[in-house]
Amino acid sequence: QSALTQPASVSGSPGQSVTVSCTGTSSDVGNYNYVSWYQHHPGKAPKLVIYDVSERPSGVSNRFSGSKSGNTASLTISGLQAEDEADYYCSSYTSSRTYVFGTGTEVTVL
Amino acid sequence: EVQLVESGGGLVQPGGSLKLSCAASGFIFSDSSMHWVRQASGKGLEWVGRIRSKSDSYATSYAASVQGRFTISRDDSKNTAYLQMDSLKTEDTAIYYCTRHNPPFDYWGQGTLVTVSS
């Protein structure tokens, strides 16, 4: 199972919006609405920010939103803040009954 | 408060074995599916495997990269999940995280470092 493809990095100024893409195949992202997104600060535990493509867990800022079209899912962070600077990973359930993560995207706040 | 605490990491030679533990608290562990995820230095997250609850017959599943070498188990009386790693390779060097699958992976531990080197 190959990792889902994400851009290595995206950046934006405070207050702007950034979007992180996550491209898979019809065996994972394209066939299941079990796409989730995780925020990871190095040295800390990853944190769930979006699940089931577009659902936001309790306590997560509404500045985080998710969507999916075909084999590509997306995470959008609006009103970018300094605290959003982190690595972000997507994840999907697969037809092999396993899970796969994305390659990871470093979000930088300029 | 949900807590997951991994332990058991360390330095091991190629071909050796190591057993990681994941102690859980703050939720009904016996009802939960538990997964292991790893991250090699400078790399992304990689799903390692999972064990389901007793109601799902403690079914396990593994990534192809560890199939046949790693074994996940659990002791519901101790609220602990385990990752037995055998025939370790240098490419298994990583931080290993345990995570509760609710679904999705809603709580994670801080991880434990495994280094495979001679």
Coordinates of all heavy atoms in Angstrom, one line a residue, chain A residues 10-68:
Chain A
V10 N 3.3 23.8 2.5 CA 2.5 24.9 2.1 C 2.7 26.1 3.1 O 3.1 25.8 4.3 CB 1.0 24.6 2.0 CG1 0.7 23.5 1.0 CG2 0.5 24.2 3.4
S11 N 2.5 27.3 2.7 CA 2.7 28.4 3.6 C 1.7 29.5 3.4 O 1.1 29.6 2.3 CB 4.1 28.9 3.5 OG 4.4 29.4 2.2
G12 N 1.5 30.3 4.4 CA 0.6 31.4 4.2 C 0.8 32.4 5.4 O 1.5 32.1 6.4
S13 N 0.4 33.6 5.1 CA 0.5 34.7 6.1 C -0.6 34.6 7.2 O -1.7 34.0 6.9 CB 0.5 36.0 5.5 OG 1.6 36.2 4.5
P14 N -0.4 35.1 8.3 CA -1.5 35.1 9.3 C -2.8 35.7 8.8 O -2.8 36.7 8.1 CB -0.9 36.0 10.5 CG 0.5 35.8 10.3 CD 0.8 35.7 8.9
G15 N -3.9 35.0 9.0 CA -5.2 35.4 8.5 C -5.6 34.9 7.2 O -6.8 34.9 6.8
Q16 N -4.6 34.4 6.4 CA -4.9 33.8 5.1 C -5.4 32.4 5.3 O -5.4 31.8 6.4 CB -3.6 33.8 4.2 CG -3.2 35.2 3.8 CD -2.1 35.1 2.8 OE1 -1.2 34.2 2.8 NE2 -2.0 36.1 1.8
S17 N -5.8 31.8 4.2 CA -6.2 30.4 4.1 C -5.2 29.6 3.3 O -4.6 30.1 2.4 CB -7.6 30.3 3.5 OG -8.6 30.9 4.2
V18 N -5.0 28.3 3.8 CA -4.2 27.4 3.1 C -4.9 26.1 2.9 O -5.7 25.8 3.7 CB -2.8 27.2 3.8 CG1 -2.0 28.4 3.8 CG2 -3.0 26.6 5.1
T19 N -4.6 25.4 1.8 CA -5.3 24.1 1.6 C -4.2 23.1 1.3 O -3.3 23.3 0.6 CB -6.2 24.2 0.3 OG1 -7.3 25.1 0.6 CG2 -6.8 22.8 0.0
V20 N -4.4 21.9 2.0 CA -3.4 20.8 1.8 C -4.2 19.7 1.1 O -5.3 19.3 1.6 CB -3.0 20.3 3.2 CG1 -2.0 19.1 3.0 CG2 -2.3 21.4 4.0
S21 N -3.6 19.2 0.1 CA -4.3 18.1 -0.7 C -3.7 16.8 -0.3 O -2.6 16.7 0.3 CB -4.1 18.3 -2.2 OG -2.7 18.3 -2.5
C22 N -4.5 15.7 -0.6 CA -4.2 14.4 -0.2 C -4.7 13.5 -1.3 O -5.9 13.2 -1.4 CB -4.8 14.0 1.2 SG -4.8 12.3 1.6
T23 N -3.8 13.0 -2.1 CA -4.3 12.2 -3.3 C -4.0 10.7 -3.1 O -2.9 10.3 -2.8 CB -3.6 12.7 -4.6 OG1 -3.9 14.1 -4.7 CG2 -4.1 11.9 -5.8
G24 N -5.0 9.9 -3.3 CA -4.9 8.5 -3.2 C -5.4 7.8 -4.4 O -5.2 8.3 -5.5
T25 N -6.1 6.7 -4.3 CA -6.6 5.9 -5.4 C -8.1 5.5 -5.1 O -8.6 5.8 -4.1 CB -5.8 4.7 -5.6 OG1 -6.0 3.8 -4.5 CG2 -4.3 5.0 -5.7
S26 N -8.6 4.8 -6.1 CA -10.0 4.3 -5.9 C -10.0 3.2 -4.9 O -11.1 2.7 -4.5 CB -10.5 3.8 -7.3 OG -9.7 2.8 -7.8
S27 N -8.9 2.7 -4.4 CA -8.8 1.7 -3.4 C -8.8 2.2 -2.0 O -8.8 1.5 -1.0 CB -7.6 0.8 -3.6 OG -7.7 0.1 -4.8
D28 N -8.7 3.6 -1.9 CA -8.7 4.2 -0.5 C -9.5 5.4 -0.5 O -10.7 5.4 -0.4 CB -7.2 4.4 0.0 CG -6.3 4.9 -1.1 OD1 -6.5 6.0 -1.7 OD2 -5.3 4.2 -1.4
V29 N -8.9 6.6 -0.7 CA -9.6 7.9 -0.6 C -10.9 7.9 -1.5 O -11.9 8.3 -1.1 CB -8.7 9.0 -1.0 CG1 -9.5 10.4 -1.0 CG2 -7.5 9.1 0.0
G30 N -10.7 7.4 -2.7 CA -11.8 7.5 -3.7 C -13.0 6.6 -3.4 O -14.1 6.8 -3.9
N31 N -12.8 5.6 -2.5 CA -13.9 4.6 -2.3 C -14.5 4.6 -0.9 O -15.4 4.0 -0.6 CB -13.3 3.2 -2.6 CG -14.4 2.2 -2.9 OD1 -15.4 2.5 -3.5 ND2 -14.2 1.0 -2.4
Y32 N -13.9 5.4 0.0 CA -14.4 5.5 1.4 C -14.4 6.9 1.9 O -13.5 7.7 1.6 CB -13.4 4.6 2.3 CG -13.3 3.2 1.9 CD1 -12.2 2.8 1.1 CD2 -14.3 2.2 2.2 CE1 -12.1 1.4 0.7 CE2 -14.1 0.9 1.9 CZ -13.0 0.5 1.1 OH -12.9 -0.8 0.7
N33 N -15.4 7.2 2.7 CA -15.5 8.5 3.3 C -14.8 8.4 4.7 O -15.3 9.1 5.7 CB -16.9 9.0 3.4 CG -17.4 9.4 2.1 OD1 -16.7 9.9 1.3 ND2 -18.7 9.2 1.9
Y34 N -13.8 7.6 4.8 CA -13.1 7.5 6.1 C -11.7 8.1 6.0 O -10.7 7.5 6.2 CB -12.9 6.0 6.5 CG -14.2 5.3 6.7 CD1 -14.5 4.1 6.1 CD2 -15.2 5.9 7.5 CE1 -15.7 3.4 6.3 CE2 -16.4 5.2 7.7 CZ -16.7 4.0 7.1 OH -17.8 3.4 7.3
V35 N -11.7 9.4 5.6 CA -10.5 10.2 5.5 C -10.4 11.1 6.7 O -11.4 11.7 7.1 CB -10.5 11.1 4.2 CG1 -9.2 12.0 4.2 CG2 -10.5 10.2 3.0
S36 N -9.3 11.1 7.4 CA -9.1 11.9 8.5 C -7.8 12.7 8.4 O -6.9 12.3 7.6 CB -9.1 11.1 9.8 OG -8.3 9.9 9.7
W37 N -7.7 13.7 9.2 CA -6.5 14.6 9.2 C -5.9 14.8 10.6 O -6.7 14.9 11.5 CB -6.9 16.0 8.6 CG -7.2 15.9 7.1 CD1 -8.4 15.7 6.5 CD2 -6.2 16.2 6.1 NE1 -8.3 15.8 5.2 CE2 -7.0 16.1 4.8 CE3 -4.9 16.5 6.0 CZ2 -6.3 16.2 3.6 CZ3 -4.3 16.6 4.8 CH2 -5.0 16.5 3.6
Y38 N -4.6 14.8 10.7 CA -3.9 14.9 12.0 C -2.9 16.0 11.9 O -2.1 16.2 11.0 CB -3.3 13.6 12.3 CG -4.3 12.5 12.4 CD1 -4.6 11.8 11.2 CD2 -5.0 12.1 13.5 CE1 -5.6 10.8 11.2 CE2 -5.9 11.2 13.5 CZ -6.2 10.5 12.4 OH -7.2 9.5 12.4
Q39 N -2.9 16.8 13.0 CA -1.9 17.8 13.2 C -0.8 17.3 14.1 O -1.1 16.7 15.1 CB -2.6 19.0 13.9 CG -1.6 20.2 14.2 CD -2.3 21.2 15.1 OE1 -2.6 20.9 16.3 NE2 -2.5 22.4 14.6
H40 N 0.4 17.4 13.7 CA 1.5 16.8 14.5 C 2.6 17.8 14.7 O 3.3 18.3 13.7 CB 2.1 15.6 13.7 CG 3.0 14.8 14.6 ND1 4.0 14.0 14.0 CD2 3.2 14.7 15.9 CE1 4.7 13.4 15.0 NE2 4.2 13.8 16.1
H41 N 2.8 18.2 15.9 CA 4.0 19.0 16.3 C 5.1 18.0 16.7 O 4.8 17.1 17.5 CB 3.7 19.9 17.5 CG 2.7 21.0 17.1 ND1 1.4 21.0 17.4 CD2 2.9 22.2 16.5 CE1 0.8 22.1 17.0 NE2 1.7 22.9 16.4
P42 N 6.3 18.1 16.1 CA 7.3 17.2 16.4 C 7.6 17.0 17.9 O 7.6 18.0 18.7 CB 8.6 17.9 15.8 CG 8.0 18.6 14.6 CD 6.7 19.2 15.1
G43 N 7.7 15.8 18.3 CA 7.9 15.5 19.7 C 6.6 15.3 20.5 O 6.7 15.0 21.7
K44 N 5.5 15.6 19.9 CA 4.2 15.5 20.6 C 3.3 14.5 20.0 O 3.6 13.9 18.9 CB 3.5 16.9 20.6 CG 4.2 18.0 21.4 CD 3.3 19.2 21.6 CE 4.0 20.2 22.5 NZ 3.1 21.3 22.8
A45 N 2.2 14.2 20.6 CA 1.3 13.2 20.1 C 0.5 13.9 19.0 O 0.1 15.0 19.1 CB 0.3 12.8 21.2
P46 N 0.3 13.2 17.9 CA -0.6 13.7 16.8 C -2.0 14.0 17.4 O -2.5 13.4 18.3 CB -0.6 12.6 15.8 CG 0.6 11.8 16.0 CD 0.8 11.9 17.5
K47 N -2.6 15.0 16.7 CA -4.0 15.4 17.2 C -4.9 15.4 16.0 O -4.7 15.9 14.9 CB -3.9 16.9 17.7 CG -5.3 17.5 18.0 CD -5.1 19.0 18.4 CE -6.5 19.6 18.7 NZ -6.4 21.0 18.9
L48 N -6.1 14.7 16.2 CA -7.1 14.6 15.2 C -7.8 16.0 15.0 O -8.2 16.6 16.0 CB -8.1 13.6 15.6 CG -9.4 13.4 14.8 CD1 -9.0 12.8 13.4 CD2 -10.4 12.6 15.5
V49 N -7.8 16.4 13.7 CA -8.5 17.7 13.5 C -9.7 17.6 12.5 O -10.6 18.4 12.6 CB -7.5 18.8 12.9 CG1 -6.5 19.2 13.9 CG2 -6.9 18.3 11.6
I50 N -9.8 16.5 11.7 CA -10.9 16.3 10.8 C -11.1 14.7 10.7 O -10.1 14.0 10.6 CB -10.7 16.9 9.4 CG1 -10.7 18.4 9.5 CG2 -11.8 16.3 8.4 CD1 -12.1 19.0 9.7
Y51 N -12.3 14.3 10.7 CA -12.5 12.8 10.4 C -13.7 12.7 9.5 O -14.5 13.6 9.3 CB -12.7 12.1 11.8 CG -14.0 12.4 12.5 CD1 -15.2 11.6 12.4 CD2 -14.1 13.6 13.3 CE1 -16.3 12.0 13.1 CE2 -15.2 13.9 14.0 CZ -16.4 13.1 13.9 OH -17.5 13.4 14.5
D52 N -13.9 11.5 8.9 CA -15.0 11.2 8.0 C -15.1 12.3 6.9 O -16.2 12.8 6.7 CB -16.3 11.0 8.7 CG -16.3 9.8 9.6 OD1 -15.3 9.0 9.5 OD2 -17.3 9.6 10.3
V53 N -13.9 12.7 6.4 CA -13.8 13.7 5.3 C -14.0 15.1 5.8 O -13.1 16.0 5.5 CB -14.7 13.4 4.1 CG1 -14.6 14.6 3.1 CG2 -14.5 12.1 3.5
S54 N -15.1 15.4 6.5 CA -15.4 16.8 6.8 C -15.9 17.1 8.2 O -16.3 18.2 8.5 CB -16.4 17.3 5.8 OG -17.6 16.5 5.9
E55 N -15.9 16.0 9.1 CA -16.4 16.2 10.4 C -15.3 16.7 11.3 O -14.1 16.3 11.2 CB -16.9 14.9 11.0 CG -18.1 14.3 10.2 CD -19.3 15.3 10.2 OE1 -19.6 15.8 11.3 OE2 -19.9 15.5 9.2
R56 N -15.6 17.6 12.2 CA -14.7 18.2 13.1 C -14.9 17.8 14.5 O -16.0 17.9 15.0 CB -14.8 19.8 13.0 CG -13.6 20.6 13.6 CD -13.7 22.0 13.2 NE -15.1 22.6 13.5 CZ -15.9 22.9 12.5 NH1 -15.5 22.9 11.2 NH2 -17.1 23.4 12.8
P57 N -13.9 17.2 15.2 CA -14.1 16.8 16.6 C -14.4 17.9 17.5 O -14.0 19.1 17.2 CB -12.7 16.2 16.9 CG -12.0 15.9 15.6 CD -12.5 17.0 14.7
S58 N -15.1 17.6 18.6 CA -15.3 18.6 19.6 C -14.0 19.3 20.1 O -13.1 18.6 20.3 CB -16.1 18.0 20.8 OG -16.2 18.9 21.8
G59 N -14.0 20.6 20.2 CA -12.8 21.3 20.7 C -11.9 21.7 19.6 O -11.0 22.5 19.9
V60 N -12.1 21.3 18.4 CA -11.2 21.7 17.3 C -11.8 22.9 16.6 O -13.0 23.0 16.4 CB -11.0 20.6 16.2 CG1 -10.3 21.1 15.0 CG2 -10.3 19.4 16.8
S61 N -10.9 23.9 16.4 CA -11.4 25.2 15.8 C -12.1 25.0 14.5 O -11.8 24.2 13.7 CB -10.2 26.1 15.6 OG -10.5 27.2 14.9
N62 N -13.2 25.8 14.3 CA -13.9 25.7 13.0 C -13.2 26.4 11.9 O -13.7 26.5 10.8 CB -15.3 26.4 13.2 CG -15.2 27.9 13.6 OD1 -14.1 28.5 13.7 ND2 -16.3 28.4 14.0
R63 N -11.9 26.8 12.2 CA -11.1 27.2 11.1 C -10.5 26.1 10.2 O -10.0 26.3 9.1 CB -9.9 28.0 11.6 CG -10.3 29.3 12.4 CD -9.1 30.1 12.8 NE -8.2 29.4 13.8 CZ -7.1 28.8 13.5 NH1 -6.6 28.9 12.2 NH2 -6.4 28.2 14.4
F64 N -10.7 24.9 10.8 CA -10.3 23.7 10.1 C -11.5 23.0 9.4 O -12.6 22.9 10.0 CB -9.7 22.6 11.0 CG -8.4 23.0 11.6 CD1 -8.3 23.8 12.8 CD2 -7.2 22.6 11.0 CE1 -7.1 24.2 13.3 CE2 -6.0 23.0 11.5 CZ -5.9 23.8 12.7
S65 N -11.4 22.8 8.1 CA -12.4 22.1 7.3 C -11.9 21.1 6.3 O -10.7 21.3 5.9 CB -13.3 23.2 6.6 OG -12.5 23.9 5.7
G66 N -12.7 20.2 6.0 CA -12.2 19.1 5.0 C -13.2 18.9 3.9 O -14.4 19.1 4.1
S67 N -12.7 18.3 2.8 CA -13.6 18.0 1.7 C -12.9 16.9 0.9 O -11.8 16.5 1.2 CB -13.8 19.2 0.8 OG -12.6 19.7 0.3
K68 N -13.7 16.4 -0.1 CA -13.1 15.3 -0.9 C -13.8 15.4 -2.3 O -15.0 15.7 -2.4 CB -13.4 13.9 -0.3 CG -12.7 12.8 -1.0 CD -13.1 11.4 -0.4 CE -14.3 10.9 -1.1 NZ -14.5 9.5 -0.7

